[in-house]
Amino acid sequence: MIIKTLQWNIGGGKIRSADTPVEGPYDLDGMTHVVELLRKYNPDIITLQETHADEKVVQAEIIAKEIGLPYSTNDVYDKSHIEDGQGLGQAIISRFPISEHNFKLFLNPRFETAGPSGGIWISHDKGVSKYIVGLGKKNTVQVATLHLIPFRVFGINPLEEKFEYLRKNIVELASPSSNTFLLQGDFNFDETSLKQFLPDLLNQNISEVLLDRPTTPKDRKYDHVLFRGLKHIRSEVIADVLIDHFPVYSEFEM
């Protein structure tokens, strides 16, 4: 059985215009842009970060309906820095049934830095979402998605010894409880491999997709795909988008 997946930080569904530099602004409604790409690649399992949701509208639900996938969940982890009045979250959209959904927040040291307009930026809450996805014939895979603090924005090197407690917390909450496991997310760690950053996670018989190109227009490799109990066939970074992260499309064999 071939499983097609896609990882994407959609930045609240906001895009830049085609003639705007990669620095932005990303302030145009890009939901049609998102939906069209997802229709083109037709993945079975989608993990999203920086989704928006308010009391009336949940972006993940809209996307799922537009692309014809029947299952979705969305976890809000903080207020959006992209658009006032919106909750910022992460989601899974699936062709297959979802069960045993849980969400946990990581430790937040509440790092501070000066924003470009002179105000103070404080690190948002971030978390990890886990689900069991049923693939038929009693086959299941535990799917997880996460979003980590943008360490670079706050001038933080997460490899420093003083931040070991943060790395341990990430590993504790992100570790699998199933032999078959898929973790896709925005780790905000700019390296091809997570081995130096989260060795205790990868040492759990977990493999990673080693991407050969950046996952953002600013040449950073923030988005990563980890797996266990699946055979990786191929992955592709899709760079022809106008959002501030590129989607990562993968295929696995169950």
Side-chain angles (χ1 to χ4, degrees), residues 18 64 66 76 82 106 111 121 168 174 189 231 250:
E66 289 291 326
V76 173
I82 300 167
F106 295 120
F111 296 128
W121 283 359
K168 286 185 175 180
F189 184 73
K231 179 182 178 182
S250 299

Side-chain angles (χ1 to χ4, degrees), residues 17-29:
S17 64
D19 57 355
T20 299
V22 298
E23 289 76 19
Y26 292 82
D27 56 0
L28 303 177
D29 184 353

Side-chain angles (χ1 to χ4, degrees), residues 189-194 208-213 221 224:
F189 184 73
D190 183 19
E191 294 289 344
T192 297
S193 172
L194 294 172
E208 57 182 330
V209 175
L210 299 176
L211 299 171
D212 59 358
R213 62 186 304 176
K221 296 177 180 176
H224 296 268

Side-chain angles (χ1 to χ4, degrees), residues 9 50 126 146-153 158 185-191 197 221-224 245:
N9 179 328
E50 293 195 347
K126 304 288 187 182
L146 58 72
H147 194 184
L148 298 184
I149 291 170
F151 304 107
R152 181 193 59 81
V153 170
D186 178 359
F187 286 76
N188 270 309
F189 184 73
D190 183 19
E191 294 289 344
F197 179 31
K221 296 177 180 176
Y222 281 164
D223 299 85
H224 296 268
H245 277 249

Side-chain angles (χ1 to χ4, degrees), residues 175-193:
S175 290
S177 58
S178 172
N179 290 330
T180 308
F181 179 65
L182 174 70
L183 169 58
Q184 302 186 144
D186 178 359
F187 286 76
N188 270 309
F189 184 73
D190 183 19
E191 294 289 344
T192 297
S193 172

Side-chain angles (χ1 to χ4, degrees), residues 124-145:
H124 286 97
D125 284 337
K126 304 288 187 182
V128 59
S129 303
K130 292 181 180 177
Y131 322 79
I132 297 296
V133 176
L135 303 178
K137 295 183 180 179
K138 299 183 179 181
N139 289 327
T140 63
V141 58
Q142 185 177 43
V143 177
T145 190

